[in-house]
């Protein structure tokens, strides 16, 4: 079992910044990828960013490329999402997710590929 706890959400004006954190605990020694997804009211859960735990390879959704940065601290079992130049359309509940095992078929932007999810943290960007 892996437990994920997000923090860092809040209310910010357009153009501002926030940094989300996701602390993992439990059986984390097999972590393959960590990802961030978001879900706005009435919409599906969308991919935001992902990072391969060991090598640090990163992937981003086109909508956040150049504005958001995913990073990780392996010693703290924590993944971060630095969000800059925030827009009202970034408003959503942000979830972190963990993929526990490697697979040649793994696709980091597919939500169903992840094994564990956090409870989410609300990000609201006002115009």
């Amino acid at each position: 079992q892996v437990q994920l706890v997000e923090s860092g959400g809040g209310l910010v004006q357009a153009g501002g910044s926030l940094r989300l954190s996701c602390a993992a605990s439990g059986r984390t020694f097999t972590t393959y990828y960590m990802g961030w997804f978001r879900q706005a009211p009435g919409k599906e859960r969308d991919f935001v960013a992902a990072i391969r735990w060991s090598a640090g390879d990163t992937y981003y959704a086109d909508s956040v490329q150049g504005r958001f940065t995913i990073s990780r601290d392996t010693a703290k079992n924590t993944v971060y999402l630095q969000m800059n130049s925030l827009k009202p359309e970034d408003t959503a509940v942000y979830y972190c997710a963990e993929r526990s095992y490697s697979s040649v078929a793994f696709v980091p932007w597919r939500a169903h590929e992840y094994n564990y999810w956090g409870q989410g943290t609300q990000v609201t960007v006002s115009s």
Side-chain angles (χ1 to χ4, degrees):
Q1 290 285 336
V2 175
Q3 294 77 43
L4 303 173
V5 179
E6 302 102 332
S7 61
L11 173 64
V12 64
Q13 288 189 330
S17 299
L18 282 174
R19 188 176 84 151
L20 305 183
S21 300
C22 174
S25 61
R27 185 195 42 76
T28 58
F29 56 88
T30 64
T31 296
Y32 182 45
Y33 267 84
M34 295 288 290
W36 286 98
F37 291 77
R38 65 187 182 186
Q39 189 167 19
K43 295 189 176 181
E44 295 185 350
R45 190 168 296 190
D46 291 332
F47 170 72
V48 176
I51 187 166
R52 188 159 68 160
W53 197 248
S54 58
D57 309 42
T58 57
Y59 300 85
Y60 294 95
D62 289 344
S63 58
V64 306
Q65 181 77 47
R67 299 188 298 123
F68 291 10
T69 302
I70 188 171
S71 62
R72 88 273 193 239
D73 185 330
T74 56
K76 295 182 178 180
N77 287 327
T78 300
V79 63
Y80 304 97
L81 185 68
Q82 178 66 44
M83 306 185 293
N84 298 329
S85 302
L86 282 161
K87 305 175 181 179
E89 51 264 44
D90 294 319
T91 295
V93 177
Y94 283 69
Y95 298 90
C96 72
E98 190 255 13
R99 166 75 180 199
S100 297
Y101 301 99
S102 64
S103 170
V104 295
F106 176 71
V107 178
W109 50 88
R110 292 180 182 168
H112 71 269
E113 302 256 14
Y114 290 80
N115 303 107
Y116 296 97
W117 292 83
Q119 81 288 349
T121 185
Q122 177 70 47
V123 172
T124 303
V125 185
S126 63
S127 57

